[in-house]
Amino acid sequence: MKSKTTEKFMKVILWISGIITLLILVTILMYIISRGLSKISIGFLTQLPRRMGMEGGIYPAIVGTFYFVIVTILMAAPVGIATAVYLTEYSGQNIWVKVIRFGNDMLSAVPSIVFGLFGFALFVVKLKPITGGWSILSGALTGMLMILPTIIRSSEEAIKAVPQEYKEASLALGASNEQTITSIIIPTAMPGIITGVILGIGRVIGETAAFLLTLGGSVLIPSSIFSPARTLAMHIYLTAMEVGALDMAFGTASVLIITILILNLVTHMVLNRYSRVSSR
Amino acid sequence: MRKILFLFAALSISAVIMIGIFVFIEGYPIFIKVGLLNFIFGQKWSPSEGLYGILPMIIGTFSTTLGALILSVPLSVFTAIFLVDYAPKKVERLINPAIELLAGIPSVIYGLFGMTMIVPIIREFQKSYFGNGTSQMQSGYSILAAAIILSIMISPTIISVTRDALKSVEHELKAGSLALGATKWQTTWHIVLPTAKSGIIAGIVLGMGRAIGETMAVIMVAGNTVGFPESIFSPVRSLTGNIAIEMAYAAAGDHTQALFGTGIVLFILIMFINGFALRIFGKGVKAK
Amino acid sequence: MLRQHVKLILIMVLTFTILMLTVGCGNSNTKSQGQDNNSLGQEPELSGSIQIAGSTSVQPLSEELAMDFMSKYSNVKINVAGGGSGAGIKAAQDGTCDIGGSSRELKPEEKSVKEIVIAKDGIAVVVNPANPISDLTIKQIKSVFSGDVTNWKNLGGSDAPITVVIREDGSGTRGAFEEIVLGKDSKFTNKAIIQNSTGAVRTTVASTPDAIGFISLGALNDEVKALQVGGIEASKENVLNNSYKVARPFIYMTKEEPTGLIKLFIDFVLSAEGQKIVERDFIPVR
């Protein structure tokens, strides 16, 4: 009898837990968007901020985010994919695989502010002649290290999921190992790799602490990778905290949240197509 | 080809080492100047007086992290159990993306939410239940506020790692228990949870690492005081917050070195914790 | 299907790379042009670039000034980065940026650079608008911020504990406030809430009924109430005529005596036109 009551009781508790988790998300999203949505307009998206971001729009932050994400991904994606190929196709089981995996796990655990300190000390200060000090390049080099583990992990899984027969068929037809990788394995694993890249984009878009120390935070539109810039997330922090313009912060936060919702949707679409393709 | 790929692959491990070395080079002079023990166990942080003790920040980090774990672990583990064994497919399909999204929300947005929503609620709560005491700590910016926000932020990590651990429990084990007449919950409690124990602990430790490493959300809600906390309503400063708050204005020299020194302590702490998580989880841990 | 996908992405990547390269080249061209122009001292077709870094309090002002300057001379590019007063001073000393910004007085050991005060900023002591108190003496303010007085009733207010909100160690506002109000013999209470920007202090005071804090005069709005200090109102006029004592300078620093484009920009900042921009949020020096 007692076990039955417990069973029922626990069932209720578990349902409640699940629902609370869902509710937390809904509350946060609704709260931010309800306070920020009224702020969003064409002008808000296309104008320059005036008076330290208290008035005007967020155009430079949008351009800055876009520019910055592209540069970071252009640097991180090739390295990440190459690493994944090495780990899955070339390495066998030598000691390096263990070391690299360990390094990867550790890198994904480093707190963002420590990335910031490192990026500041190395890219902003030491390599100033090359990176231009606080700049998109310095930020992107820091950001690249932050998202490498994510891209490596997703790409690795995607490559592992490529059916063995594909490789064997390709090799049997006389293709070299390299040819097999570039024309069979990577294209087949592409959706998984793209998912990893999108996850990486999400992390870059959302990160603030590391980039406050490396990206410079200028509200002016960046003209090259050597100019400082600010991302939307930095703009939220700087408007909310630096100038105390909460309404602008909420408006920017809504734009950011909508961007992230769209990114998530895209990831799912890519993944869905992936599962359909691979089940065929 | 192989060699070129290896060069790329070696970047992640060399990055970790470089980060360690660089932060260490920039920060270690402060250890020599004030002494390592004085730095870690020093009770007063006042750069303008040349006092660099980070014990209040260590306590700040641990109190907020502990609070976050207390709030988050039961909810997250229960949610994971719910998802694996109890939730109908439809509900599962609703909650899984929700967890992904929770993990994807930027920390500044959590901070903004905490600052404008959680902090006032705590302040009103404290006012109405504890009255106008003599305590000066009634602003709502507190350990509690940081713990609540962190508990939300780390729940996706704990849920997803726990969920994977629970899923990897062999089906025969559950079926056997159920066949012997145990109820579903008894099976979960006596069979599934103990079997998945190491995975769950790894998830919790990873969540803990995330709470310790979080910066922006914490500085927006924790109050950032440099004194020792008196209660969960006291403001505190975390190790990460110490760096983020003061880095912008620190004059080059001792002050900057002390902030890098804080970074060293943080780096070692996180490496230790994650090394531990990897160990108990064995190979192939997925930190997400 | 998938093949197309890959091609598409490759094309995208390629386009962006080319885009990036052209933009990058464009920049370096203007840079070299600018140097030529500077050395030749050609006036009419002004072009080139200036790097400004430093104090995050000065940064927004620099950006406003830069925007106006760039709309006047469309071939000039000014980059404004943050980093903090300390970093700004260091960058100006090394010459790694053209102009460093500081929002605190330079320490004696930092005086190796050329400094130009471009604006002044008063520091207002603020409380929540609901607070009945509107005037405190410097001595009373000192006792509150040092933690000797912890309840509003000791200052003639209601019976409520005081929540002290201050800036982080190293901040120019804090440094100036500490020097002027606390003096050498006392320190900030360690029970104070610490925020690392003027906006955050204001938001905290605005939302916390029993809070007191200090913010830049330019950041004052109706969310908070500025206290009179010893009967003197915190206003631009009173800072200018030196009757309101709690104020600090905004400083531009250069490694050497400014020349060429940099001099032109600093002259613009100090001109009537530039000081008009300063006046929107801060106190002009000319």
Side-chain angles (χ1 to χ4, degrees), chain B residues 14-43:
Chain B
S14 41
V16 176
I17 296 168
M18 277 215 307
I19 289 171
I21 290 175
F22 254 90
V23 176
F24 189 79
I25 288 176
E26 297 285 326
Y28 94 100
I30 198 73
F31 292 163
I32 291 171
K33 255 174 246 165
V34 303
L36 183 59
L37 289 181
N38 285 338
F39 184 72
I40 294 176
F41 296 108
Q43 307 193 358

Side-chain angles (χ1 to χ4, degrees), chain B residues 238-255:
Chain B
S238 66
L239 288 166
T240 51
N242 197 36
I243 303 169
I245 289 269
E246 296 195 355
M247 197 61 198
Y249 278 99
D254 289 359
H255 194 175

Side-chain angles (χ1 to χ4, degrees), chain C residues 91-98 112-114 253-257:
Chain C
Q93 281 170 341
D94 303 347
T96 44
C97 72
D98 301 316
S112 63
V113 292
K114 297 269 168 291
M253 294 157 296
T254 53
K255 191 179 181 190
E256 272 137 28
E257 199 62 51

